[in-house]
Amino acid sequence: MLFDHELAWKDPDVYNEVYRTSIEFSEQFWEYHRARLFAESNYNASFNCVDRHAAKNPNKTALVWYGDEFCERREITYIKLLIMVQKIASELLRRGVRKGDSVTICMPMIPESIAAMLACCRIGAIHNVVFSGFSPVALRERVFRSASRMVLTVTSSSRGGKLIPSLKNVLTAIDGLNAEILLLDHVDDFSIDERAVHPTPMDYADSMFTLYTSGSTKEPKRIFHTCGGYQLYSAMTFQYIFDAKESDTYFCTSDIGWITGHSYITYAPLFFGLKSVIFSGTPMYPTGGRYWDIIEREKVSIFYSAPSAIRCLASLGNDMLSNYDFSSLRALGCVGEPMNESAWEWFFNNIGQKRCPIMDTWWQTETGGIMLAPLHNISLQKPCFAAKPFFGVVPDIQNDELVILKKNWPGLSSNFARDDGQIYHTGDKAMRDEDGDFRVLGRIDDVVNISGHRLGTSEVESIVNSLGEIEESAAIGIPHRIKGQALCIFATTTSTLEPEQKESVAREISSRIRQDIGAIAKPDKIVFIPELPKTRSGKIKRNILKIIGEKKKIDYESGDLSSLVNLNCIKDIETAMQRAIKPMV
Ligand code: WTA
C-alpha cells in the first residue's frame, strides 16, 4: 500500500484517496499499518511505550510533570520511566498480581500514575483507572465490580490549592472488600524482581484495560479494550491527525481517569517516544496563566484540551496573554464536548495565533480513539466541525443521530461484536453540511455532558429517588456558559414541603450526589414540582422538562403535548422553575 503519509491528513485529495482505500480494502489497510507500527509483533504496551525508547534513546525526556505550584516540576527520561515501571510491576508480582487480574488505579496526574498503568500492562494485568475526583462510594463500586484485589494510590496530593486525601478515600472505599492498597509515594524504594525485567508477551486480542463510563443505564458500564486493536488505533489516529513526530513536545490537559488520558496522554504519545507534558493542577490555580506558562516554558508544539477549559480561560480576557510566548505551538486540539463558535475563534486567534489548526476531535470511551477530526490544514478549518471520518470509519446520520455503519475499526471496545453488518449507535446528535463535513451537537440520549464528563441521568435519579422525602425525579442537562451543560433536577415529594424544608432537602440531594458520585455531578438547579409531565403509558416527558429548564416557551400547538396525560402540570412546573434552588453544597 503506497501513499504519502505526510499528506494523508493534510491534502484533501490525498485524504480522499487514502480514505477510499481504507474502506474498499479495509482488511489490507489495517494489516498494513499493524505491520508498520508493530514491527516486532509485540502487543505489550509497556514494551511499545517504554522499553523500545529506553533502549534507543534512554536519556530522552518521556514526561515533564507540573504540579499545583509554578515551581513544581519533574522530568522523567525514558530510562527512568522504564525503571519506575519495572519497580511497580515487581511489587505487583510480589503481591500476587498475575496476567488477567484486574488492578484499580486511583491517582492524581503524576508520573507514577502513568508508570502504574504501564506496569499493569507489563505483567498483563488489566488496569481499571478511576478518576481521583470520584467519591469513595463511586470508587468502591468500581473496585468491587471489576473484582480488583489491588488498588494503587498515593497518600495525598493537591489540586487547585486543595488537598486530596487519596489514601483516606481509598481506605473508606475498600472497607470490607477483598482488596489491598499499594502506595506509590516512594517507588524508588521498590526493588526490581527479575520477573519484571521483560514485558509479558501479550496477544493482539488480550484485554489491556477497562474503564467505567456513564450511559443510559443506572450503573456505569465497564468498557474493555484489547492490546492490539486499541494500541493500533490510538497510535495511528495520533500520528495522522496531530501529525505527531518524535521531535514534538506535546501537552494534553485531560486526566488519566478518562479515556482521553489513556489514549492521548499515556499510550499514543509514548508509543512514538514523544516528550509529553502532564499537569496535576487546574487551569485557574494559582492564576489563569498556568497552561500558557507551561506552553512557553516547555515549548509545547501540540496542545490538546477541552472546550470548557477554553471557555473558562477565554472568560478571563486577553490582557494576560501578551505575557506568554505561543510561538512553539503548531497544532491545537479539543475534545469531550461540543465547541461553540466564540470559544473556537478565541482559541484559534489568541492561542493558535491564526496559524495553528484546531483539531476538534470527536470520539468516545467505547471507540478507543478519535473517529472524526478536521484535516490538519488551516485553510480548510470550519469552526466547531469535527469534519472528517478517520480512515476506515463510515459515519452517517440517522434520525439526527450520528451512527457508524460498520463495527470494524480496530479501536472499538471489545464489548461490541465486531461484525461488519451492524450499526454502532453513538447517542450523539450531529449534522452534515454540503461538503459532507460533520458537526457534533450534543447527546440525544439520557446522558448529560458536564465539562466533558459523562453523567447518566438515571444514575443521578436513582440516587435522588432513594431519599425518603422524594417520590420521583427527572434529571436533565441545561445549557451552561462554561461547563457546556449543567445538571437540573425536577423532583416530586411524598408530602408538601415548606420553603425551608425544600432548601434542606435540596442540600441533602446535592450532598448525596456528591457523596455517591463526586463533585463533578453536583446539580446546579433543583426544582420541586407537584407532578412530572407524563405520557399515558407513564413515561416522563423529558423534552418538556428540557424546554422549561432552558426557560423557553412551550409550544401548545405542537403535537408533542397531545401525548401528555397531565397537561395542567406545565404551568406549575414553569412557576416552580422560577424558584429553582441552587444548592450550595
Ligand atoms: C462528547 C471522550 C462534541 C460526545 C473522548 C461523546 C464531543 C462523549 C466531542 C464521549 C467533540 C466528545 N464534539 N462532542 N469533539 N468529543 N464529545 O466517553 O457527546 O468521555 O459521545 O469520551 O463526549 O465522552 P467520553
Side-chain angles (χ1 to χ4, degrees), residues 6 10 12 70 78 81 126 128 172 189 211 214 218-219 236 260 272 297 300 327 340 345 390 460 479 512:
E6 284 285 310
K10 281 186 195 142
F70 280 100
Y78 274 96
L81 182 61
I126 299 169
N128 175 50
T172 312
D189 296 348
L211 200 52
S214 295
K218 261 191 199 153
E219 289 179 340
M236 264 179 79
T260 304
F272 293 107
R297 280 211 260 175
V300 170
S327 61
N340 53 298
E345 299 288 352
F390 190 65
V460 176
R512 186 73 71 86

Side-chain angles (χ1 to χ4, degrees), residues 322-383:
S322 54
N323 299 333
Y324 300 101
D325 180 5
F326 296 104
S327 61
S328 57
L329 287 170
R330 64 172 186 79
L332 302 174
C334 63
V335 61
E337 45 186 318
M339 244 314 191
N340 53 298
E341 270 87 358
S342 60
W344 193 99
E345 299 288 352
W346 183 85
F347 198 34
F348 182 77
N349 293 334
N350 298 291
I351 308 304
Q353 314 215 307
K354 303 185 181 161
R355 33 169 202 86
C356 304
I358 298 180
M359 312 313 287
D360 183 338
T361 63
W362 176 88
W363 58 296
Q364 304 177 307
T365 305
E366 294 86 339
T367 72
I370 298 165
M371 299 288 280
L372 303 175
L375 296 189
H376 195 112
N377 180 331
I378 207 144
S379 63
L380 300 168
Q381 293 272 301
K382 287 181 197 167

Side-chain angles (χ1 to χ4, degrees), residues 56 71 94 116 121 158 161 166 212 225 290 331 344 358 366 376 390 403 452 454 470 478 490 551 574 582 585:
K56 212 175 88 198
C71 58
R94 281 195 284 266
C121 295
S158 95
S166 311
Y212 283 87
H225 280 290
R290 286 313 301 274
W344 193 99
I358 298 180
E366 294 86 339
H376 195 112
F390 190 65
V403 295
R454 276 165 73 167
I470 302 299
I478 52 172
F490 293 91
K551 303 217 170 106
E574 282 175 328
K582 184 176 171 65
V585 279

Side-chain angles (χ1 to χ4, degrees), residues 95-244:
R95 306 257 191 139
V97 177
R98 295 291 175 265
K99 183 172 174 177
D101 289 352
S102 162
V103 172
T104 293
I105 299 176
C106 184
M107 301 203 27
M109 280 301 299
I110 55 175
E112 283 75 6
S113 311
I114 288 171
M117 295 165 82
L118 293 159
C120 290
C121 295
R122 192 166 190 86
I123 63 171
I126 299 169
H127 63 66
N128 175 50
V129 180
V130 178
F131 176 55
S132 56
F134 276 135
S135 70
V137 175
L139 173 60
R140 180 186 183 81
E141 193 181 291
R142 288 158 172 81
V143 172
F144 178 74
R145 287 179 51 212
S146 66
S148 295
R149 290 205 350 265
M150 184 73 68
V151 182
L152 309 188
T153 192
V154 287
T155 306
S156 65
S157 61
S158 95
R159 185 162 190 271
K162 289 197 199 105
L163 186 87
I164 301 171
S166 311
L167 176 58
K168 190 168 151 260
N169 289 347
V170 175
L171 280 168
T172 312
I174 66 168
D175 184 37
L177 295 184
N178 180 19
E180 61 172 290
I181 293 173
L182 172 59
L183 271 182
L184 298 183
D185 297 68
H186 304 289
V187 172
D188 275 351
D189 296 348
F190 299 167
S191 60
I192 296 177
D193 187 300
E194 67 178 51
R195 292 171 294 172
V197 172
H198 298 293
T200 301
M202 299 302 283
D203 286 336
Y204 189 89
D206 279 340
S207 287
M208 181 163 141
F209 68 86
T210 63
L211 200 52
Y212 283 87
T213 190
S214 295
S216 38
T217 48
K218 261 191 199 153
E219 289 179 340
K221 292 178 286 182
R222 188 181 187 196
I223 300 296
F224 280 80
H225 280 290
T226 53
C227 295
Y230 170 80
Q231 280 185 86
L232 172 60
Y233 194 72
S234 56
M236 264 179 79
T237 46
F238 186 62
Q239 193 177 37
Y240 279 108
I241 294 171
F242 287 106
D243 187 27

Side-chain angles (χ1 to χ4, degrees), residues 563-584:
S563 59
L564 267 188
V565 272
N566 48 355
L567 191 65
N568 298 338
C569 74
I570 291 180
K571 279 273 164 303
D572 294 336
I573 302 173
E574 282 175 328
T575 316
M577 192 68 212
Q578 308 292 330
R579 292 196 292 268
I581 300 172
K582 184 176 171 65
M584 286 306 159

